[in-house]
């Protein structure tokens, strides 16, 4: 087959370029995989290179296999032995051949993720670090980030924010030594050791730089620093490097991707030819114009304009519900309409954070629509949600051994395996009367709770262990009292706070911990919704609901579901007839963490661009006028990205109940008892009454959130005379004032609005 068949003029120009560096700026849906495959086939068929003189690297085994298959079809022969592979496979191959040049045995083993977790568990045990305090996968993620940015142990010691940095440094050292002792490399080491090989062994570098006459790199915008250095070393002889990528689709900064690699390509190779692939084969022109308008607001990018022969198309639908429940129901109705009568139609629902999936999953389940969560765990199956459910079950029945074992040391409170073994060996056949002092009935004398109480009261364990066990028992007993007196959502908020669960996640400061915090805040919001729907709302009813939903999740998650739920990050590289992007609000998308740093905001905008360009025919954008955050309603401003889409491209869909709330489905509580907050006293002025009132469905939102009248809302920018510009993290109404937590460049500050002299920015 002719390698030039079916190419448009720009694609043909890229394929025919032979000598010197080449930068192919490939817009979304522009056929970049075809260009790479046909360029490889052209170079080989025209005699410019032998198959083993062409190196082509990409990021996934699937992409590499697709590339190899296409080349074989074009050439009509096998490409066995060729150098078409992922970065990691390339490095493994180089090291198998040349590892001895840097003192590494050729028979090293490669540890996959399960091997890494096993090693990390062993290390944490040796360092006497409870794996509930530092989960093995979390530790590995931190180490991987350091390696991807070519940082050593001192990276953690220089963090300087707590003893956690020193702890991670020790873990990193032990992990590195453990790999060495086992003659093993992890995935990140493959890259680092390959770079070390080419840096230190000049004869090896010279041989491979001479061999690879042509080097091609796919998704170049996603390369990290080790990959950048690797490519630079291998192309120093012939300088025939062709990279394919799109700065507008660089969305993995948090994973180590370095946008400078593609933006600075012309500095590294001043002689480089630039070819822009701007013709899109996927989306309608309206979708492309909207995405281009948004991404044009970014600073660091390479200018291009996507176009397609699919002129026009349906306008982009935009729906802004009165709250996230109405938004979720609109998403459900839209998805149902899209798949109705169209057997092969798939609808993608995309969101910024995993926590957003909860209310959407609930709506889909109520409607009986099958769906699957792609690249993630269903909301009610996530670890932190399971932990919270276990705590709630303990409040109902402390003799639930399974729940007790799950959370007794989560977060870590000095009750490790040794203490639990000691408790397990206590005989509790005859529970003495004094156990009643705990205030809890004792119908299960052989339960762990009974043994735990015996261990404390009869001093059957060490004083230190007894103190830790007593702290836990007092926590559960105290929270049982709270659950009897307070609304479920208030009790849940207190549980998460007093158990130390929230603070433990905040102290960690990682992306994963922030996501877990978001999920727990969403769980409190779910509790508020449940209270609003159920006249006889109870702790038992809520735990039943969560337990049953976990089972329903398994049934609904059918493999052939036409509705796919996923984060915007997980959608990269995919395309769908219909795409629904949820949560287009300031503080949600773009995420509030991006407000203080322009580079972060640019990446949020690139993420929006990626999401929009996943749609082939229909693009739907949704948001909410208010959203529950940790059980309380916050007013939400429309995302700035909506302001950047030309209004003539948008069809606005009005909500069914624009006044706020809709029908009997949505109800709320009067604010006479304050509201739960993750950052301060959640109980407002003088506690609260036990009475719960349902509001009329036409309640005014101002009655729920008075702070919105002052502009003091979650995510708002304010200026302080001393601390400068900051972002509001929480808003709590007091008797005669508003308490704020504001993040400034110097760190978070708690302020009283009356005295802070804040100005809105």
């Amino acid at each position: 087959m002719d390698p030039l068949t079916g190419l448009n003029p720009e694609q043909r120009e890229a394929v025919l370029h032979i000598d010197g560096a080449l930068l192919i700026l490939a817009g979304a849906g522009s056929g970049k995989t075809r260009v790479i495959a046909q360029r490889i086939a052209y170079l080989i068929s025209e005699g410019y290179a032998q198959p083993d003189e062409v190196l082509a690297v990409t990021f996934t085994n699937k992409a590499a296999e697709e590339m190899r298959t296409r080349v074989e079809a074009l050439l009509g022969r096998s490409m066995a032995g060729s150098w078409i592979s992922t970065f990691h496979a390339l490095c493994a191959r180089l090291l198998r051949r040349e590892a001895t040049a840097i003192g590494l045995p050729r028979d090293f083993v490669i540890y996959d993720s399960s091997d890494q977790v096993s090693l990390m568990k062993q290390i944490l045990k040796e360092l006497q670090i409870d794996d509930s305090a530092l989960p093995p996968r979390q530790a590995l993620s931190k180490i991987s980030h350091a390696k991807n940015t070519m940082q050593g142990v001192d990276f953690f010691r220089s963090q300087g924010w707590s003893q956690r940095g020193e702890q991670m440094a020790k873990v990193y050292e032990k992990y590195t030594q453990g790999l060495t002792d086992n003659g093993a490399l992890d995935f990140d080491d493959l890259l680092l050791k390959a770079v070390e090989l080419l840096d230190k062994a000049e004869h090896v570098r010279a041989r491979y730089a001479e061999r690879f006459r042509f080097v091609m790199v796919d998704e170049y915008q996603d390369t990290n620093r080790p990959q950048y250095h690797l490519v630079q070393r291998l192309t120093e002889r012939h300088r025939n490097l062709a990279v394919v990528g799109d700065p507008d689709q660089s969305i993995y900064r948090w994973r180590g991707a370095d946008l400078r690699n593609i933006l600075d390509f012309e500095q590294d190779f001043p002689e480089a030819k630039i070819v822009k692939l701007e013709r899109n084969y996927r989306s309608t022109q309206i979708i492309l114009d909207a995405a281009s308008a948004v991404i044009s607001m970014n600073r660091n990018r390479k200018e291009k304009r996507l176009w397609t022969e699919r002129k026009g198309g349906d306008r982009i639908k935009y729906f802004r519900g009165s709250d996230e429940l109405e938004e979720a129901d609109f998403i459900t109705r839209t998805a149902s309409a899209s798949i109705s009568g169209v057997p092969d139609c798939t609808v993608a629902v995309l969101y910024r954070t995993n926590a957003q999936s909860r209310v959407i999953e609930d709506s889909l389940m109520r409607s009986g629509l099958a769906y699957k969560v792609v690249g993630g765990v269903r909301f009610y199956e996530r670890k932190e949600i399971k932990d919270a459910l276990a705590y709630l079950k303990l409040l109902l029945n402390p003799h639930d051994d399974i729940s007790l074992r799950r959370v007794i040391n989560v977060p870590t409170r000095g009750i490790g395996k040794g203490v639990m073994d000691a408790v397990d060996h206590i005989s509790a056949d005859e529970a003495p009367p004094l156990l009643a002092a705990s205030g809890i009935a004792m119908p299960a004398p052989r339960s762990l709770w009974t043994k735990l109480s015996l261990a404390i009261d009869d001093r059957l364990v060490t004083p230190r262990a007894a103190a830790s066990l007593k702290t836990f028992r007092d926590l559960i007993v105290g929270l049982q009292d709270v659950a009897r007196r307070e609304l479920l959502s208030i009790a849940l908020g207190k549980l998460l706070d007093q158990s130390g669960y929230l603070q433990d996640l905040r102290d960690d400061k990682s992306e994963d911990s922030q996501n877990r915090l978001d999920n727990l805040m969403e769980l409190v919001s779910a509790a508020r919704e449940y209270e609003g729907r159920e006249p006889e709302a109870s702790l038992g009813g809520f735990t039943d609901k969560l337990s049953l939903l976990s089972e329903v999740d398994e049934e609904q998650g059918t493999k052939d579901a036409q509705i796919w739920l996923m984060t915007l990050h997980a959608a990269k590289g995919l395309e769908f007839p219909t795409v629904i992007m949820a949560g287009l609000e300031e503080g949600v998308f773009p995420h509030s963490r991006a407000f203080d740093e322009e580079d972060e905001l640019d990446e949020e905008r690139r993420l929006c661009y990626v999401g929009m360009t996943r749609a082939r025919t229909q693009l739907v954008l949704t948001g909410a006028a208010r959203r529950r955050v940790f059980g309380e309603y916050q007013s939400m401003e429309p995302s700035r990205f909506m302001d950047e889409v030309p209004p003539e491209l948008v069809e606005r869909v009005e909500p069914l109940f624009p006044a706020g709330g809709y029908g009997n489905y949505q109800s709320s509580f009067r604010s006479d008892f304050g509201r739960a907050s993750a950052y301060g006293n959640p109980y407002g002025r003088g506690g609260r009454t036990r009475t719960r009132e349902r509001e009329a469905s036409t309640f005014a939102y101002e009655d729920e959130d008075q702070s919105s009248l002052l502009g003091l809302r979650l995510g708002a920018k304010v200026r302080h005379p001393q601390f400068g510009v900051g972002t509001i993290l929480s808003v709590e109404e007091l008797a005669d004032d508003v308490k704020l937590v504001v993040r400034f460049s110097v760190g978070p500050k708690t302020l009283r609005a009356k005295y802070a002299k804040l100005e809105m920015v």
Side-chain angles (χ1 to χ4, degrees), residues 25 39 52 126 136 139 225 256 375 383 425 452 493 511 533 539 584 602 651 662 706 730:
L25 292 174
R39 186 168 188 266
D52 65 349
E126 290 174 5
R225 292 317 278 181
K383 176 186 181 300
H425 285 93
L452 178 151
E511 179 87 11
R533 289 199 204 113
L539 173 61
L584 269 293
D602 283 352
E651 174 190 342
Y662 51 107
Q706 295 289 344
S730 77

Side-chain angles (χ1 to χ4, degrees), residues 39-232:
R39 186 168 188 266
I40 295 172
Y42 181 77
L43 291 171
I44 294 172
S45 65
E46 294 299 312
Y48 291 105
Q50 296 300 311
D52 65 349
E53 293 177 329
V54 178
L55 170 63
V57 287
T58 187
F59 279 83
T60 66
N61 289 313
K62 180 181 177 182
E65 186 57 37
E66 181 183 354
M67 194 182 299
R68 183 183 296 106
T69 301
R70 288 194 184 199
V71 173
E72 289 178 339
L74 288 164
L75 292 176
R77 59 171 160 144
S78 171
M79 288 292 289
S82 66
W83 293 79
I84 301 175
S85 70
T86 64
F87 271 104
H88 291 93
L90 164 66
C91 293
R93 190 171 174 183
L94 287 175
L95 291 170
R96 289 292 182 205
R97 295 183 174 198
E98 313 290 349
T100 55
I102 54 172
L104 186 71
R106 286 198 184 98
D107 60 352
F108 64 85
V109 295
I110 300 173
Y111 271 9
D112 62 17
S113 57
S114 62
D115 296 326
Q116 290 174 260
V117 169
S118 296
L119 175 59
M120 182 56 69
K121 285 181 177 179
Q122 178 184 329
I123 287 165
L124 295 177
K125 184 176 181 180
E126 290 174 5
L127 293 174
Q128 296 183 324
I129 299 173
D130 196 301
D131 61 11
S132 61
L134 181 62
R137 292 188 186 278
Q138 187 181 104
L140 289 167
S141 176
K142 290 175 180 292
I143 291 171
S144 179
H145 177 74
K147 290 184 176 183
N148 284 332
T149 52
M150 303 186 78
Q151 302 281 353
V153 172
D154 290 340
F155 169 76
F156 293 108
R157 292 200 170 103
S158 64
Q159 299 299 297
W161 44 269
S162 74
Q163 68 180 54
R164 233 178 239 269
E166 182 60 36
Q167 183 186 69
M168 270 307 305
K170 292 179 180 177
V171 171
Y172 193 173
E173 286 177 330
K174 289 282 287 184
Y175 177 71
T176 302
Q177 188 59 50
L179 289 172
T180 302
D181 292 345
N182 289 290
L185 301 179
D186 64 15
F187 291 129
D188 298 315
D189 286 336
L190 291 173
L191 298 175
L192 293 175
K193 289 297 182 182
V195 171
E196 181 184 342
L197 171 68
L198 298 180
D199 278 347
K200 293 183 177 180
E202 292 187 18
H203 66 287
V204 174
R205 181 173 73 248
R207 187 181 336 130
Y208 286 95
E210 177 65 36
R211 160 179 275 195
F212 296 131
R213 299 180 61 81
F214 297 93
V215 176
M216 277 172 273
V217 183
D218 190 16
E219 303 285 8
Y220 193 62
Q221 79 280 349
D222 292 333
T223 52
N224 59 26
R225 292 317 278 181
Q227 290 160 344
Y228 169 84
H229 285 291
L230 185 72
V231 170
Q232 293 293 312

